Amino acid sequence: QVQLVESGGGLVLTGGSLRLSCAASGGTFSYYAVGWFRQAPGKEREFVAARNGGDGYYVEYADSVKGRFTISRDNVKNTVYLQMSSLKPEDTAVYYCATRVSTTVARITTLYTYWGQGTQVTVSS
């Protein structure tokens, strides 16, 4: 069983930056792929970014955030980060981190087993 707790959300002006954190406990977290998703009011939860587990380095990003967001992980601290810059009002959403019992990344929510409670990000114009 893996528990995930997000933090770092808040209110920011257009063009600003935020760094989200997701602290994990339980399980062999370093071997699990991790992902960030977001859900805006009235919309479905959508993929944002993912990073592989285990050895090597592989990341994927949604086209809407490519070049602006960066996912990273610190396996010593069992923490995943999402650095967000050049934020836009359309980035406003609740952001969730998730992990799956696999080293490979995925973009589909149903492929992730464990989820955090979410953290609100609001970008004001």
Side-chain angles (χ1 to χ4, degrees), residues 44-64:
E44 293 188 354
R45 194 169 298 188
E46 65 175 4
F47 170 77
V48 174
R51 166 76 192 270
N52 68 296
D55 297 327
Y57 175 82
Y58 183 77
V59 294
E60 287 192 9
Y61 296 96
D63 288 344
S64 59

Side-chain angles (χ1 to χ4, degrees), residues 10-49:
L11 174 64
V12 64
L13 294 176
T14 297
S17 298
L18 278 176
R19 188 177 78 158
L20 305 183
S21 299
C22 174
S25 59
T28 50
F29 180 71
S30 62
Y31 291 99
Y32 300 164
V34 292
W36 284 97
F37 293 79
R38 66 187 181 186
Q39 188 165 19
K43 295 187 177 182
E44 293 188 354
R45 194 169 298 188
E46 65 175 4
F47 170 77
V48 174

Side-chain angles (χ1 to χ4, degrees), residues 5-6 24 27 32 35 44 49 53 66 75 84 87 91 99 106-107 118:
V5 179
E6 301 99 333
Y32 300 164
E44 293 188 354
K66 201 171 293 183
N75 288 335
M84 307 184 294
L87 283 162
D91 294 319
T99 189
R107 293 175 174 247

